[in-house]
Amino acid sequence: MITEKTVHEFLDELASDSPAPGGGSIAALAGAMGTALTAMVCRLTIGKKKYVEVQEEMESILQEAEELRGELTRLVDEDTEAFNGVMAAFGLPKETPEQQVRRAAAIQEATHEATLVPLRVMKLVDRSLPLAVRVAEKGNKNSASDAGVAALMLQAACSGAALNVRTNLGSLKDEVFVRETTAQVKEILGRAEAGVREALAAVNKAVT
Amino acid sequence: MITEKTVHEFLDELASDSPAPGGGSIAALAGAMGTALTAMVCRLTIGKKKYVEVQEEMESILQEAEELRGELTRLVDEDTEAFNGVMAAFGLPKETPEQQVRRAAAIQEATHEATLVPLRVMKLVDRSLPLAVRVAEKGNKNSASDAGVAALMLQAACSGAALNVRTNLGSLKDEVFVRETTAQVKEILGRAEAGVREALAAVNKAVT
């Protein structure tokens, strides 16, 4: 699994001439980093006298952020696997008409699968960003910039995953799925943009 | 060194109640990921018949992106060290007036040092983003979304590093440095915003 490599090795593998891991895995990893920073700010707030009023809320945010981090981290590897699935389908034999039909169907199925992974990243980010906003507003002021970076990483994760969803949608023939997913992407992107703006406004208040 | 940990361990360490690594290291890492993806798209373009016209340019971008990735990766660890330096200065004894003076000076010096690291991240991103724009425009179209994610990660790196610079500037007494750095931050942020817009416009053209 790519997440079992060291950060150095991971970056080398990313930069290599193998297309996976690529932008899809990085979007998931950016999401995982955003939730990890959110969790850190919670931990740096919990137990501090000055923040006793938000202790319970921070504990509940911490638990949710850690769950989301686990899911987003798994998707780093899943995106790479899904991409390899698409490549495998493209590699199927295409000599006979039967093979061509089978290959085309396999490509559709694998691409559909590869669309669901970044879409899942987007949905997880959609749940993660409000947590980053909340810790930016109510968490330890000394960690305000960390909450801001959390929100920025989640936004990059969301936009990056959206690029991957849209690229895959371009090859899919299932019009209903394409239409519904396009609408979902747009909706989540809009919420992410509003979320990061809110988080950064809170951070700016805290650092100035 | 934190970059010698596995991605899993890195995320655990990030989420922990230790303030370092924090947002500053993540900004540097996001920059490293952006340059790694830029390098990947170059490698997936070089040697392809369809892209023979941009082969030389892609080779030169690849070399520069890999240099920048090396520097940004080193800054992941350096940011953590600089932050620990600030913490160490705050931990100096403050019983006697002499100790108080020495401690205040040490805090100023360490904070100045901790400001230079994210500022360096911003300057490296400032050189990296035009490369991502170029590969989005001229690189392998099959990797367009990767070039887009590269630009998004670089933008998040730039904005995240800027938050860290500004937080540190708030504690610094050297007014000339504060004024000059504030101006630099603004200038680089403006270029980054324009750069990511350009890159995404090229990606949108390629994926639709």
Side-chain angles (χ1 to χ4, degrees), chain B residues 5 8 18 24 29 65 81 98 105 114 118 121 148 151 159 166 177 205:
Chain B
K5 295 186 186 274
H8 261 294
S18 138
L29 183 55
E81 284 159 29
E98 289 77 21
V121 169
S159 304
R166 286 182 47 218
F177 177 75
K205 240 197 217 163

Side-chain angles (χ1 to χ4, degrees), chain B:
Chain B
M1 278 197 328
I2 186 90
T3 50
E4 291 307 330
K5 295 186 186 274
T6 70
V7 172
H8 261 294
E9 289 164 349
F10 180 85
L11 289 168
D12 284 343
E13 184 100 10
L14 185 62
S16 79
D17 65 358
S18 138
S25 286
I26 289 305
L29 183 55
M33 297 195 303
T35 52
L37 278 170
T38 302
M40 180 185 92
V41 182
C42 289
R43 290 196 167 97
L44 291 169
T45 306
I46 292 166
K48 299 277 191 300
K49 243 193 245 163
K50 208 173 146 191
Y51 297 96
V52 67
E53 273 181 31
V54 292
Q55 168 117 358
E56 257 180 60
E57 186 181 0
M58 289 294 143
E59 274 165 4
S60 121
I61 291 176
L62 173 59
Q63 200 184 329
E64 200 178 344
E66 287 294 44
E67 273 168 35
L68 291 162
R69 173 163 77 95
E71 292 193 58
L72 285 159
T73 306
R74 273 189 294 281
L75 291 173
V76 177
D77 288 303
E78 277 180 34
D79 191 87
T80 298
E81 284 159 29
F83 185 86
N84 289 335
V86 175
M87 288 296 102
F90 271 101
L92 289 176
K94 50 179 176 175
E95 309 299 314
T96 70
E98 289 77 21
Q99 284 177 339
Q100 286 164 20
V101 170
R102 215 173 303 144
R103 178 172 173 271
I107 291 172
Q108 283 295 305
E109 202 186 310
T111 306
H112 184 263
E113 204 52 49
T115 311
L116 294 180
V117 179
L119 186 61
R120 183 125 187 77
V121 169
M122 293 190 75
K123 288 176 180 173
L124 293 167
V125 167
D126 196 30
R127 289 169 54 199
S128 303
L129 245 171
L131 308 181
V133 172
R134 205 60 193 146
V135 301
E137 287 171 348
K138 298 289 171 186
N140 193 326
K141 293 279 177 253
N142 293 333
S143 307
S145 65
D146 298 306
V149 176
L152 289 166
M153 294 310 296
L154 289 168
Q155 188 195 29
C158 194
S159 304
L163 284 181
N164 282 274
V165 171
R166 286 182 47 218
T167 301
N168 286 322
L169 286 182
S171 325
L172 285 179
K173 293 186 166 55
D174 179 345
E175 283 178 24
V176 176
F177 177 75
V178 170
R179 195 170 51 239
E180 286 176 1
T181 306
T182 303
Q184 268 187 311
V185 164
K186 204 178 154 188
E187 208 184 294
I188 297 177
L189 279 176
R191 275 199 294 271
E193 214 172 294
V196 78
R197 251 202 313 269
E198 250 181 289
L200 293 180
V203 174
N204 285 334
K205 240 197 217 163
V207 305
T208 50

Side-chain angles (χ1 to χ4, degrees), chain A residues 3-8 11-12 14-17 23 33 36 40 43-44 69 146 152-153 160 166-167 204, chain B residues 3-8 11-12 14-17 23 33 36 40 43-44 69 146 152-153 160 166 204:
Chain A
T3 50
E4 293 305 332
K5 294 188 185 271
T6 70
V7 172
H8 261 294
L11 289 169
D12 285 343
L14 185 63
S16 79
D17 64 359
M33 296 195 302
M40 179 185 92
R43 289 194 167 99
L44 291 169
R69 173 163 77 96
D146 298 305
L152 288 166
M153 295 310 298
R166 287 182 45 217
T167 300
N204 284 335
Chain B
T3 50
E4 291 307 330
K5 295 186 186 274
T6 70
V7 172
H8 261 294
L11 289 168
D12 284 343
L14 185 62
S16 79
D17 65 358
M33 297 195 303
M40 180 185 92
R43 290 196 167 97
L44 291 169
R69 173 163 77 95
D146 298 306
L152 289 166
M153 294 310 296
R166 286 182 47 218
N204 285 334

